[in-house]
Amino acid sequence: MRAVPRRATAAIAVTLASALFLTACGSGGGDDSTSAEGKVEGNITFQTWNLQANFKDYFNGLIKEFEKEHPGTKVKWIDQPAEAYAEKISAGAAGGTLPDVVNVSPDLVAPLAKAGLALDLDKAAGKYEKEYLPGAWASHQVPGLDGTYAFPWYLNTGPLFYNKSLFKKAGLNENKPPRTYDELFTASLEIAEKSKGEVATLANVPSIEDFGRYGVRTMNKEGTEFTFNEPKGVELLERYVELYKAKALDSQALSATPESAGKKFLTQSVAMNPGSALDLAKFEKEAPGLYKNIGITDMVTNTGKNNMYVMGVMVNAKSERKPAAVAFAHFVTDKKHQEEFARKVAIFPSTKGSLDDPYYTKQDGTDGTRVRVAAAQSLKEAVNYTPVLLSDQMKKELQNAVARALQGKESPKAALDGAVEACNQLLQQS
């Protein structure tokens, strides 16, 4: 399944942006015909992202239920593999064959909205906004455009694991993990000092999500330039440089992957790491000493809001059957069906009230429930900190800038200034 990972979803391929530019250059943000009023009828197509292999029966049943509720409709389901999904959307956009209803992530919907191919739901289906968590509804809004361009669907977020034993050895309260970045930096330096540099607290360099959680404005409201080099962003990177020099940030953090960071945590050479219920099972099997000392907490944030990874369902603004397309997109993402789908896999519904269900609030002693409850509660007020216009290439520019600063090749300010300049140039090119 194409569930949302801890990092942001795959950014759009250059071919997608190019095809949309050639197809709809100058069309602006959205189709003039945004009305979804009218009889729900006719044949529509529905495209998902690598879901058929594991959820064929669920979606076939969902479609059958919709068609029964709306006689005269017929839904054709198309499932695309995870590989080259952006290119598939590109081909549909360029060839005028984009399905009526499309499974998208925020970064995929942005160029479609700019090209006038994503229906503005604020205009066409604004009555449904109240059904969804505010942060989820806002996740498919595009800087520089007015409107919301996809129904929020399923959510995910990662709880933060920490090693209580390592905290206790450093003289810290193992039952009060850091909640803010100031607390995190203080604890990290203390652990490094007490362990004589043998134990780092973190295994990863800061990503754009860290800048967002730190309280940095990462992009201007108009969506015309990135701003993560503002003083607060420089301050964050300066703090990470301090950690790196003190060995409070793992020496291999510059080349770390989720897998390598997880291994560091498993061997108890790192005190904190994001994870999932699958990791808990692994700890119990491979590192029982770690498992018995596992603490679970929210991701560190200065804003009081965790990061939200989100998938959405977009309606093609050029659909000839908008009433049916909007009705089906809402049907897929309404409270009843989101809750049903979320019980089948480790994801979370984006509808209001769903996360208050005992399934997401009551502990039963199992590892899966421990993580599910911790993650679900943080999602109620979570936001997507990754700008929808930030591509993989832009993320690489930021990553390289962070590396230069940590290695002492550039000051944090110079490194971030360079990254912002490069990202803004890429933004203009797209």
Side-chain angles (χ1 to χ4, degrees), residues 361-381:
T361 61
K362 301 296 184 183
Q363 297 281 1
D364 62 6
T366 64
D367 287 341
T369 301
R370 289 175 68 191
V371 175
R372 182 172 67 241
V373 170
Q377 296 312 300
S378 71
L379 277 170
K380 289 183 179 181
E381 300 295 330

Side-chain angles (χ1 to χ4, degrees), residues 6 94 96 111 114 132 158 160 205 221 269 286 289 369 425:
R6 287 195 294 267
K114 286 190 169 186
Y132 302 90
L160 188 62
V205 298
K221 186 177 180 181
S269 58
E286 299 182 17
T369 301
Q425 288 177 352

